[in-house]
Amino acid sequence: MKEKSSFLNSVIKISIPVALQSMLQSSFSIIDQIMIGSTGSLNIAAVGLAGKFSSIYSVIIAAVGAVAGIMISQYFGSKDEDEVNRSFSVNGAAAALTALLFTAICVLIPQQIMGIYTDDQNTVAIAADYLRIISVTFIPLAGSTLLSTMLRCMEKASLPLYISIIAAIFNTGFNYLLIFGKLGFTAMGVNGAAIATVIAQCVNFILLLAAFIVVLKKNQKHFFFSVHLTKMTYKQYLLILFPIFITEFLWSVGENIYASVYGHLGTSDCAAMTLTYPIQGLMIGALSGIAQAAGILIGKELGKKDYNAAYQKSKKLVLYGFIGSVILSVGLILLRGFYTDIYHVEDEVKITAQQILLAFALISPVKVLNMIIGGGVLRSGGKTAIIMIIDIIGTWGFGVPLALLSAYALSLPIVYVYFILSLEECVRLLISFFVFKHKKWMNTI
């Protein structure tokens, strides 16, 4: 009983701050959408499409953070603090190089990138300006991701939460000042929202770095930067990194193909889909903490080579996530009309958004289980090639073909397109559950 209580406390200690942080970010995205939405559906669509491309970078950086989490949690489990520092350093260097590459692309060819998503030249022009500015956040976001991962593995998950609250306040405040031109500032519309995001991300990184230094001093720990791994070769590191890197990249490209499909269905449909992104993020974010907890806690058990404990705890985490996702889906079905009513957009856009949210609510429990099993449990052992295969089959074997078929061959409305392509989550879950049950993912790096 004491061990069960201790495990539940560990889950809560990690998952609740992570979930609250993710939900906070999504809730402030809703505020962003409301502010931008008051300037017209065209701006909403433009920001949504620019956000889709920047999400490719975000998921790749998240992939590097996930690899860092796998390595750091296992080395914490085996009490090897030197290798913890080396793991942080190597992944930090990889994240920085990725950030520089994406920043250069977005600064040099933003219009060409946005032209892939839509034929509407007004939307392209607005989205390109937004993307160019928002690319300044890529470097601080890389640092923030790695620092947050490290602090969570040190069981200081509440610190990134508190800091994200401060950053979100900066973001909302500067949104108000720069979008609408308050307190003497020039009204900058969508570009003002982008600048506000840059300010907030820089604040977030600086505060996380300060918090990390304080935690090290308080615990009398010594950090050193070294990209020289001793417990694994660089080949082994790349065998962990590249599959998860490719997985997240191809998944994000798939999501961008979906966004391109939505964009070509019309500006109104694209705006409706964009309105649903924050609430989708809020729903998934509410349970993302369990996936984070799975990666860290199961990783530590694998680091100690206690495979039975790792498996039993994994089953509990999956159950927690499923119950939570069903409760949230029911709530969304009942309240989706209240959500869309807060936007000042056309009634047609509101109705379509409500229908999309219903489809999302139905598929959400499956998405959450995939997030916990694939994104947390199966990755914790470092055999990331398994996840790569599962995701390629789901996204490219089913999701993308279904999207193109339903949108272009069958000319279905956006709601049906979204629901049909989302059925790839069911395929992904069936394969993931099979791998989970056969325990091939268990591994100590």
Side-chain angles (χ1 to χ4, degrees):
M1 179 64 71
K2 185 177 180 181
E3 182 180 351
K4 181 178 179 180
S5 176
S6 176
F7 173 67
L8 184 58
N9 288 337
S10 296
V11 173
I12 292 172
K13 192 173 182 180
I14 297 172
S15 64
I16 296 299
V18 172
L20 289 175
Q21 183 178 357
S22 181
M23 291 173 68
L24 179 73
Q25 291 170 343
S26 296
S27 66
F28 277 93
S29 294
I30 295 173
I31 294 173
D32 289 354
Q33 294 277 22
I34 294 171
M35 290 182 177
I36 295 170
S38 66
T39 65
S41 297
L42 178 65
N43 287 338
I44 291 180
V47 171
L49 293 178
K52 273 299 176 182
F53 180 78
S54 64
S55 71
I56 296 177
Y57 168 75
S58 297
V59 298
I60 290 175
I61 286 300
V64 178
V67 174
I70 292 169
M71 297 171 67
I72 293 170
S73 62
Q74 287 216 17
Y75 289 130
F76 266 127
S78 61
K79 302 185 186 304
D80 190 338
E81 294 186 10
D82 286 349
E83 207 64 17
V84 166
N85 290 335
R86 294 188 179 97
S87 299
F88 180 86
S89 301
V90 168
N91 287 287
L97 291 173
T98 304
L100 290 171
L101 174 63
F102 270 83
T103 301
I105 292 172
C106 292
V107 169
L108 295 174
I109 55 170
Q111 289 190 325
Q112 291 88 329
I113 293 170
M114 289 297 97
I116 298 172
Y117 292 87
T118 180
D119 298 324
D120 187 328
Q121 292 306 306
N122 291 328
T123 303
V124 168
I126 296 170
D129 286 343
Y130 182 86
L131 183 62
R132 184 183 290 110
I133 298 170
I134 211 74
S135 67
V136 180
T137 67
F138 291 170
I139 292 176
L141 178 60
S144 298
T145 300
L146 268 294
L147 288 168
S148 294
T149 299
M150 186 68 152
L151 288 169
R152 288 166 187 159
C153 289
M154 297 171 76
E155 299 192 1
K156 299 293 182 181
S158 59
L159 289 176
L161 168 63
Y162 300 146
I163 291 169
S164 70
I165 292 173
I166 297 171
I169 292 171
F170 270 85
N171 186 46
T172 303
F174 278 99
N175 265 343
Y176 178 72
L177 296 175
L178 299 178
I179 292 174
F180 304 114
K182 301 297 183 179
L183 299 181
F185 287 90
T186 302
M188 302 176 67
V190 168
N191 288 348
I195 293 172
T197 302
V198 171
I199 294 170
Q201 285 289 355
C202 290
V203 169
N204 191 55
F205 170 68
I206 292 169
L207 292 179
L208 279 170
L209 182 59
F212 177 59
I213 293 171
V214 169
V215 169
L216 287 177
K217 289 184 176 180
K218 184 177 180 180
N219 294 332
Q220 296 182 333
K221 302 291 185 181
H222 174 67
F223 175 79
F224 60 85
F225 183 89
S226 173
V227 294
H228 177 63
L229 297 172
T230 59
K231 288 293 183 69
M232 65 167 64
T233 64
Y234 281 105
K235 180 180 178 180
Q236 290 173 314
Y237 169 69
L238 293 176
L239 286 175
I240 296 175
L241 175 63
F242 274 135
I244 197 169
F245 191 94
I246 294 169
T247 297
E248 297 298 341
F249 177 76
L250 290 179
W251 174 84
S252 185
V253 171
E255 288 292 308
N256 276 261
I257 290 176
Y258 302 155
S260 179
V261 169
Y262 304 146
H264 286 88
L265 290 175
T267 300
S268 178
D269 282 345
C270 185
M273 179 60 72
T274 301
L275 289 185
T276 70
Y277 290 147
I279 202 67
Q280 289 189 40
L282 196 66
M283 286 272 292
I284 297 299
L287 296 167
S288 63
I290 297 180
Q292 287 276 350
I296 294 170
L297 297 176
I298 305 306
K300 288 183 178 180
E301 295 297 337
L302 294 176
K304 293 185 288 187
K305 298 185 178 182
D306 193 342
Y307 299 122
N308 181 62
Y311 184 69
Q312 296 303 321
K313 290 179 179 179
S314 296
K315 291 197 295 184
K316 292 178 183 178
L317 289 165
V318 171
L319 179 62
Y320 297 159
F322 178 72
I323 293 172
S325 65
V326 170
I327 293 172
L328 290 177
S329 288
V330 171
L332 178 59
I333 292 171
L334 296 175
L335 300 174
R336 67 188 190 280
F338 292 99
Y339 170 73
T340 56
D341 283 343
I342 65 180
Y343 292 99
H344 298 291
V345 294
E346 299 85 351
D347 288 340
E348 177 189 0
V349 175
K350 289 184 180 181
I351 293 171
T352 303
Q354 289 179 28
Q355 294 171 342
I356 294 170
L357 287 174
L358 175 60
F360 169 74
L362 295 175
I363 205 71
S364 180
V366 182
K367 285 180 175 285
V368 169
L369 288 178
N370 279 325
M371 177 178 65
I372 295 171
I373 297 176
V377 174
L378 300 186
R379 280 183 178 176
S380 64
K383 292 186 176 181
T384 52
I386 296 174
I387 307 302
M388 179 183 69
I389 295 170
I390 294 171
D391 279 11
I392 289 175
I393 292 172
T395 300
W396 294 93
F398 290 87
V400 171
L402 288 173
L404 299 176
L405 174 67
S406 57
Y408 298 124
L410 301 179
S411 300
L412 296 176
I414 190 170
V415 177
Y416 293 102
V417 172
Y418 173 73
F419 183 75
I420 290 171
L421 69 86
S422 295
L423 294 177
E424 61 97 0
E425 295 282 355
C426 298
V427 176
R428 194 189 310 241
L429 180 60
L430 287 174
I431 303 173
S432 296
F433 189 72
F434 176 83
V435 174
F436 173 72
K437 289 289 290 183
H438 283 74
K439 304 180 183 179
K440 298 295 184 182
W441 51 276
M442 291 185 178
N443 178 56
T444 300
I445 61 176

